[in-house]
Amino acid sequence: MTRHLHLNAFLMSTGHHEASWRLPESNPVANTDVAHYQNLARIAERGKFDSIFFADSPVLFGDVGRRPAGSLEPTVLLTAIAAATSKIGLIATASTTYNDPFNLARRFASVDHVSGGRAGWNVVTTAGPDAALNFNLADQPAHAERYDRAAEFLEVAFKLWDSWEDDATLADKEAGVWGDNAKVHPIDHVGRHFQVRGPLNLPRSPQGYPLIVQAGSSEDGKGLAARYSEAVFTAQQTLEDAQAFYKDLKARTAALGRDPNGVKILPGIVPVIGGTVEEALRLERELDELIKPEYARDQLARTLRLKPEDLPLDQQLPADLPDEDEIEGAKSRYTLIVTLARREKLTVRELIGRLGGGRGHRTFSGTPEQVADAIQEWFDADAADGFNIMPAVLPSGLEVFTDQVVPILQRRGLFRTEYTGSTLRDHYGLARPVRSGGSLEAPESLQAATA
Amino acid sequence: MTRHLHLNAFLMSTGHHEASWRLPESNPVANTDVAHYQNLARIAERGKFDSIFFADSPVLFGDVGRRPAGSLEPTVLLTAIAAATSKIGLIATASTTYNDPFNLARRFASVDHVSGGRAGWNVVTTAGPDAALNFNLADQPAHAERYDRAAEFLEVAFKLWDSWEDDATLADKEAGVWGDNAKVHPIDHVGRHFQVRGPLNLPRSPQGYPLIVQAGSSEDGKGLAARYSEAVFTAQQTLEDAQAFYKDLKARTAALGRDPNGVKILPGIVPVIGGTVEEALRLERELDELIKPEYARDQLARTLRLKPEDLPLDQQLPADLPDEDEIEGAKSRYTLIVTLARREKLTVRELIGRLGGGRGHRTFSGTPEQVADAIQEWFDADAADGFNIMPAVLPSGLEVFTDQVVPILQRRGLFRTEYTGSTLRDHYGLARPVRSGGSLEAPESLQAATA
Ligand SMILES: Cc1cc2nc3c(=O)[nH]c(=O)nc-3n(C[C@H](O)[C@H](O)[C@H](O)COP(=O)(O)O)c2cc1C
Ligand SMILES: Cc1cc2nc3c(=O)[nH]c(=O)nc-3n(C[C@H](O)[C@H](O)[C@H](O)COP(=O)(O)O)c2cc1C
């Protein structure tokens, strides 16, 4: 069997580079402009991407001076995009810490219905104390507690999505019987975090479940991914790290009795593309020069739990930083940043430059051919099943990738030239989950789905 | 000043008549078919309706045999419809009992952004014990407690919608300053039900707030409506009852220092329209004959807190029924049903026929001219500012109303022939709320809005 590469377009207002909004070409209020996002999705669909994706957190972060702040709620945004596209998958982030399973399961099932089976859910636990303050809490629940809730949240969601059998709707006009009560089941879930009777107030959706995506790379995050997810977003700076992550996660998946092929691993890459290497580097430099380091230093200080004054711009990071174990927020991103700075002996200013392009994701500047090579290298070396493409500037970066890199990947036989299915699961080569009948646990039902 | 009539199209799968799905013309799975709803909205927009509206409850009710069961989550549905229309207002129901203010305020603000200022929220407290069981509760909170939470929920939502000043976005590319931190405010809400720091993670939306609609007619419900709402849906069977309700609610609004004109009162009407009276009555009879009384009796028994066996089909309601005070669910609907049955000395079978058409709303069968007369009579007699049009069968009932009743209302100078504004508030003649600066309480800010 030839492996096929998967491509997800990670979309974010004017682009992933924090200064992208300052370019003359950028629409600085793109973050609330639905037409901007519909246009981006159409470009990605023209490029036969598997999916588009939106990150999210239910809180306004820090400084609104820095870059376009605030964003449309992702399930609303996906729905608006569904109406403007017909094939591409649609993945939204939603937090298990700050939602109710009944409402959220219903919303994703609704998006799946409305889009004809194109919905995906990036399941996150939401790091950082700030979001908690919007939800009646004085601080975020501890990291382990958040992941415990996430697992139970998913179990409840699976049960709700399975609460209607696929053939529960009879629509028998003659007999006057619309649905079959024997095929719609309460779930009667009673757990540590949730008591939910069900059933869902919505017939089973085209995909059964939305595609389950996971994006935390801590130990607990990898555990959740291995057990429940079908695609994993991850930030990896080097081939070796990416290979180790890939191998580890596939092994964890297999150890739980699941087909490791049922979990697609998608590291992020921020491509900055030019006709020549020089042009690409010039574009990168132009962008970096537009960064205002004070903004970025404030955020770095928050991540490292320091004060901005503790981070002189032209020195390396302080020697004594907390251990990942002590971090209750985004553990894996913390470690990645510290490791990157130490390995490359970066000053704070240099580190900020590296993070400004992709917040810890791999950045790569070069010609279309070189970008295709960079992608193929990791793909061939079992470091990735595909990539999270994170254009530095939008829409132009996505257009260039679609028109110049995708054709190369297609010529090399790595990437589809046409969609062969109509659902998001079809694109990723993942089966529709078989209904568990309300008795099987979620892992087995996913196992059946991905076998 | 000439008063102008407002029309809202209350949409529900194959129509409001419970047997509508059994007609040959009906698509029995319309309840999950987004194209069906987009089509309905386009028809209503052709008829220059102020808005369309969806009811909702986060629970699957009773018997799925009876009629199309389960529905798309309304904010998702509105968003899909926004993409297919350009002028008509879009009102979704959401529960203050089973949502978080931060998430819900953001979702409505998102729909408002995505639709260009066409979002409305029907604020309900969700009656009945069943929904509670989907949200970690053993029973619903008491009626008064639900309304207390609803009021605070609205206060939080108003503060969040006001947390960004209208001109907080600078987008100053040259200076590298995107937003003005001095114009984005935490709300620091601390109340009996909620602690929410804010600000919202979304700039202020085109309408400022979505249109606030209220639909409960109990004492507490009317109190909430008078204080916060801008439109009120209500079920009224007789002109006298409707006039009394209208007068009462306008007086309550004025007593709170608000302009009574800032609250539009919209009773429901289920029109069954025929070319002749006979044809209309035949259609009504055809529909009623398709009702299976067992289904309806089960639900009536639940509403009255009796067993189905306590309701022999050919007898009147039992003499000793609980008082409205004892009802913790939908108080006003309970009273309406009991009053209707007693006043008209209806048998259970007859009562079911009356409720099957509109669940307690006024039904009216006649020619287009007679329907227009019925509407004008109530409008002229200060019983209504407009109507909640609840077609018995969809799409046909909405088409006939749009093509045959609307032109009569237009000829009489009662109803618009073109949209004169672009937002939902424009259609209802309500001003955009002035930002309260986070210090004024919501009622005053609404007062400013509707003055
Ligand atoms: C591509 C990518 C996208 C992510 N998107 C989000 C997001 O939208 N919201 C969020 O709370 N976390 C998101 N995360 C995960 C955060 O990095 C995560 O909260 C953090 O890693 C915490 O998980 P951990 O402690 O398991 O690492 C994303 C991660 C990656 C790699
Ligand atoms: C036209 C109309 C639509 C309504 N839609 C809903 C709804 O979608 N969800 C809901 O929980 N209540 C809805 N209600 C209100 C219920 O009737 C309400 O829950 C009930 O009246 C409880 O409020 P009360 O006790 O104040 O009467 C609606 C009422 C009317 C008149």
Side-chain angles (χ1 to χ4, degrees), chain B residues 55-56 93 124 126 143 147 215-218 233-234 330-333 388:
Chain B
D56 194 55
T93 297
V124 301
T126 308
H143 191 269
Y147 273 103
S217 294
S218 63
F233 296 150
T234 180
K331 282 187 192 287
S332 56
R333 195 60 56 90
N388 213 358

Side-chain angles (χ1 to χ4, degrees), chain A residues 22-23 26 28 56-57 63-65 70-71 73 98 103 106 110 133-134 136 173-174 178-179 181 195 198 201, chain B residues 22-23 26 28 56-57 63-65 70-71 73 98 103 106 110 134 136 173-174 178-179 181 195 197-198 201:
Chain A
R22 296 184 65 190
L23 292 177
S26 292
D56 194 57
S57 199
D63 193 322
V64 304
S71 53
E73 192 279 329
Y98 304 114
N103 286 337
R106 183 178 179 210
S110 297
L133 303 179
N134 290 333
N136 284 11
K173 292 182 177 182
E174 197 53 50
W178 186 83
N181 285 299
Q195 294 89 51
N201 54 349
Chain B
R22 296 184 66 189
L23 292 177
S26 292
D56 194 55
S57 200
D63 193 322
V64 303
S71 52
E73 192 279 329
Y98 304 114
N103 286 336
R106 183 178 180 211
S110 297
N134 290 333
N136 285 9
K173 292 183 178 184
E174 199 51 51
W178 186 82
N181 285 298
Q195 294 89 51
R197 185 169 71 167
N201 54 349

Side-chain angles (χ1 to χ4, degrees), chain A residues 5-12 15-16 44 47 49-54 233-234 266-273 357 359 361-362 364 371-372 374-376 386-402 405-406 409 415 428:
Chain A
L5 183 70
H6 298 284
L7 293 178
N8 175 60
F10 182 174
L11 304 178
M12 194 177 201
H16 285 273
F49 276 67
D50 295 71
S51 48
I52 59 164
F53 160 65
F54 296 100
F233 296 150
T234 180
L266 309 171
I269 181 169
V270 182
V272 181
I273 303 169
R359 300 183 315 284
H361 285 269
R362 176 188 182 202
F364 187 92
V371 171
I375 285 174
Q376 182 164 7
F387 285 86
N388 214 358
I389 305 298
M390 301 170 57
V393 184
L394 288 167
S396 63
L398 184 63
E399 266 169 338
V400 173
F401 189 93
T402 291
V405 181
V406 167
L409 298 171
F415 193 59
Y428 280 99

Side-chain angles (χ1 to χ4, degrees), chain B residues 2 20 49 59 61 67 130 195 288 334 358 378 450:
Chain B
T2 11
S20 56
F49 277 68
V59 64
F61 283 120
R67 55 176 300 164
D130 291 345
Q195 294 89 51
D288 286 349
Y334 172 83
W378 283 32
T450 55

Side-chain angles (χ1 to χ4, degrees), chain A residues 55-56 93 124 143 147 215-218 233 330-333 361 388:
Chain A
D56 194 57
T93 298
V124 301
H143 191 270
Y147 273 102
S217 294
S218 63
F233 296 150
K331 282 187 193 283
S332 56
R333 195 59 57 88
H361 285 269
N388 214 358

Side-chain angles (χ1 to χ4, degrees), chain B residues 185-202:
Chain B
H185 309 277
I187 68 167
D188 291 322
H189 176 89
V190 180
R192 212 165 84 72
H193 302 272
F194 305 109
Q195 294 89 51
V196 181
R197 185 169 71 167
L200 196 62
N201 54 349
L202 192 53

